[in-house]
Amino acid sequence: MSSDGLFLDAAAAIGRSIVADAVWHNGYCSWMGAVTRPSESTAQYHALGPSLYGGTAGVGLFLAQIADATGDRSFRGTAVGALRQAAALARQSPVSRRDGFHAGSVGVAWAAARAALLLEEEELHARAVEVSTQLNVPSGPDRCPDLITGMAGSALGLLALADELGEPRLVEQAVATGETLIGRATVTSHGWSWAMPTRRYPAHPCGISHGAAGIGWALLELFAATGDERFRAAAMGAFAYERSWLDPVTGRWPDLRIRGQRRGPLAPIDSGIVGTWCYGEAGIASTRLRAVAVLGPGPHSGDAEIAVETTRRHLADALPYAIDDLSLCHGLGGAADVLLDAADASNIHSHQVADLVTELGHVMLERYADAGRPWGCGTEGETTPGLFLGLSGIGWLFLRLHDPATPTPLAPIRP
C-alpha cells in the first residue's frame, strides 16, 4: 500500500507546511486555525487551544508520528513545542472544560505520553504525568456523558493513559466514571441510551462522538480492563439501542438530532452524516469491530458488517465527484481510516476495502497535491492544522496509506 513513497512524501509535505506556520515563544509553539462554532455559518480564525481534537495536542501528536516515520528532526522539535503548549494550557483550563477525551485534559495527557514514547522524550512523559495529576472534572447532573466532551471520553482516556504511564490509580478513576455512566443511563426495551444535558434532541443520539456508540465503546473497554460484567451488559445495551434504530434495508442509522425520525425505514431526511466517523456508520463500525475483538461473535458482528459495508459504499460513491472534506471527523478521511482497520481486523470485503482506500489516496494526490489546491479541511472551506478537522488528520491518513501498521489516531486503546 506504500505506492512507492508517494503517500509518505505527501504526509511529509503536510508536516513541513505545519512546521513552517508554527508561532514560537520561549520553546512553546502554537498555530492560528479555522474554527467553526455551532452558532456561526463561517469559520473564524483563532489561536489553537490545547485539545487533541482541534488544538496543539493533536498537531503535536501528528508531528511526533511523522518524526518517527521519517527521522526528520524539525518534526520532532515542533512536536515537543506543541505538546509543551498543550500541557501548559490544559493545566490552566477551567474545570468545566477538562472533561472528555478529544476535547478534555485527559486527551492532552495521553497525547503527550504517546509522543514521549515515539520520540523517547522524557520531558513529554513528565508533562503527561503532571497533567494526569490535575484531571479534576465537572460533577453533578449537568455532566455530559459523551465521548468527545464528557464522561465516556474521560473513562476511555483514563484507561489509555493508565496503559501509557503504568498508573493503576487512573484505572480506578475510569471505573468510578463508568459507574456514574451506568447510573445515568435510560434503560428501555430498546436498550440503554443517554440524554445530553446541554442539548435538547428529540431522541437520545446514536453515533460515536456524542451518542450511544461512543458511550458503549468506553463501557466495553472498562469491561476489557476489569472483567466487570456490569460494564459488558451496559455496553451491549448501548449497542442494542442503536440497533433498534438501524434501517436494515439501507444499512443506515438516523441522525437523531433531527426531528421526524422514526424506527424502521428511514425518513428521506439528509443530514450529511452517512459514512462519517462522528455521527455515522464509520464510527459505529469501529466500535462494533472492537466489540468483536473483545467479546467474540454476537449481534454486534452483524452491526459491524452492515456499518462497514455502508461506509465502503459511501466512499465508493463519493470518489467520482468533487471531494471538499477530507477530515477525520465528518469527512472522507474518517471513513477511510476506519475502513483500513476493517480490512485488517476482519474478512469483511478486506481486499476490496483496502484497494478502495488506496484509490482515495491517489485521488487526493491528483486533486489536491498535484493541482496545488489547499487540502479539504472540515472547516467551511478554510484550513486548520488540527487533527480531527484539518491538516494533521489528512497527513496521518497518508501515513497509514504508506504503512498500515501506523496506529489509527481515532482510537487510543491498543489492541
Side-chain angles (χ1 to χ4, degrees), residues 57-70:
V59 179
L61 185 57
F62 163 64
L63 293 174
Q65 193 69 54
I66 196 168
D68 180 63
T70 65

Side-chain angles (χ1 to χ4, degrees), residues 17-233:
S17 72
I18 292 173
V19 168
D21 288 340
V23 180
W24 286 87
H25 179 71
N26 288 342
Y28 295 72
C29 70
S30 187
W31 290 264
M32 296 292 290
V35 177
T36 303
R37 303 184 188 279
S39 60
E40 298 171 347
S41 59
T42 58
Q44 302 293 324
Y45 273 81
H46 303 276
L48 298 192
S51 74
L52 182 68
Y53 184 89
T56 54
V59 179
L61 185 57
F62 163 64
L63 293 174
Q65 193 69 54
I66 196 168
D68 180 63
T70 65
D72 189 316
R73 296 193 63 81
S74 68
F75 295 144
R76 177 192 180 92
T78 310
V80 172
L83 287 158
R84 282 176 185 150
Q85 172 79 357
L89 290 181
R91 295 196 304 275
Q92 300 167 13
S93 295
V95 171
S96 62
R97 298 180 62 182
R98 293 186 183 185
D99 217 356
F101 179 66
H102 303 84
S105 297
V106 68
V108 174
W110 173 81
R114 178 62 64 87
L117 185 65
L118 287 169
L119 302 177
E120 299 182 345
E121 181 61 60
E122 182 58 35
E123 178 197 343
L124 293 182
H125 180 87
R127 290 180 183 271
V129 171
E130 188 175 24
V131 174
S132 76
T133 63
Q134 303 176 30
L135 291 176
N136 298 327
V137 294
S139 59
D142 290 336
R143 189 180 179 191
C144 183
D146 73 12
L147 183 71
I148 299 284
T149 63
M151 288 185 281
S154 287
L156 183 75
L158 286 164
L159 291 175
L161 190 56
D163 181 50
E164 296 291 344
L165 299 181
E167 287 281 1
R169 65 178 174 83
L170 299 175
V171 177
E172 295 172 4
Q173 292 179 35
V175 168
T177 303
E179 289 171 343
T180 304
L181 273 174
I182 289 176
R184 296 277 187 87
T186 298
V187 182
T188 69
S189 60
H190 293 299
W192 295 45
S193 62
W194 287 261
M196 300 294 129
T198 59
R199 303 176 180 91
R200 296 188 177 276
Y201 295 145
H204 297 170
C206 297
I208 196 170
S209 61
H210 301 292
I215 299 169
W217 177 27
L219 293 163
L220 176 74
E221 297 298 352
L222 283 165
F223 168 70
T226 67
D228 190 327
E229 282 292 320
R230 296 175 302 161
F231 295 131
R232 184 197 63 79

Side-chain angles (χ1 to χ4, degrees), residues 130-352:
E130 188 175 24
V131 174
S132 76
T133 63
Q134 303 176 30
L135 291 176
N136 298 327
V137 294
S139 59
D142 290 336
R143 189 180 179 191
C144 183
D146 73 12
L147 183 71
I148 299 284
T149 63
M151 288 185 281
S154 287
L156 183 75
L158 286 164
L159 291 175
L161 190 56
D163 181 50
E164 296 291 344
L165 299 181
E167 287 281 1
R169 65 178 174 83
L170 299 175
V171 177
E172 295 172 4
Q173 292 179 35
V175 168
T177 303
E179 289 171 343
T180 304
L181 273 174
I182 289 176
R184 296 277 187 87
T186 298
V187 182
T188 69
S189 60
H190 293 299
W192 295 45
S193 62
W194 287 261
M196 300 294 129
T198 59
R199 303 176 180 91
R200 296 188 177 276
Y201 295 145
H204 297 170
C206 297
I208 196 170
S209 61
H210 301 292
I215 299 169
W217 177 27
L219 293 163
L220 176 74
E221 297 298 352
L222 283 165
F223 168 70
T226 67
D228 190 327
E229 282 292 320
R230 296 175 302 161
F231 295 131
R232 184 197 63 79
M236 295 294 283
F239 298 156
Y241 172 78
E242 290 195 328
R243 196 173 305 117
S244 76
W245 286 102
L246 170 64
D247 178 355
V249 176
T250 62
R252 290 177 50 192
W253 278 262
D255 186 346
L256 294 176
R257 298 170 297 176
I258 299 175
R259 296 189 180 278
Q261 305 285 5
R262 298 290 186 271
R263 286 183 169 88
L266 293 187
I269 300 174
D270 184 11
S271 69
I273 69 164
V274 179
T276 60
W277 176 82
C278 52
Y279 281 99
E281 290 76 21
I284 290 172
S286 69
T287 66
R288 302 318 197 265
L289 289 168
R290 179 62 176 153
V292 172
V294 172
L295 303 174
H300 42 274
S301 306
D303 295 349
E305 185 167 358
I306 291 170
V308 168
E309 172 56 22
T310 301
T311 304
R312 184 203 65 78
R313 192 168 61 243
H314 166 66
L315 178 55
D317 290 346
L319 285 180
Y321 302 99
I323 300 172
D324 296 324
D325 188 351
L326 297 168
S327 71
L328 294 178
C329 184
H330 45 66
L332 288 185
D337 186 276
V338 170
L339 289 174
L340 283 173
D341 282 344
D344 184 57
S346 71
N347 293 319
I348 305 172
H349 310 294
S350 57
H351 295 297
Q352 187 179 12

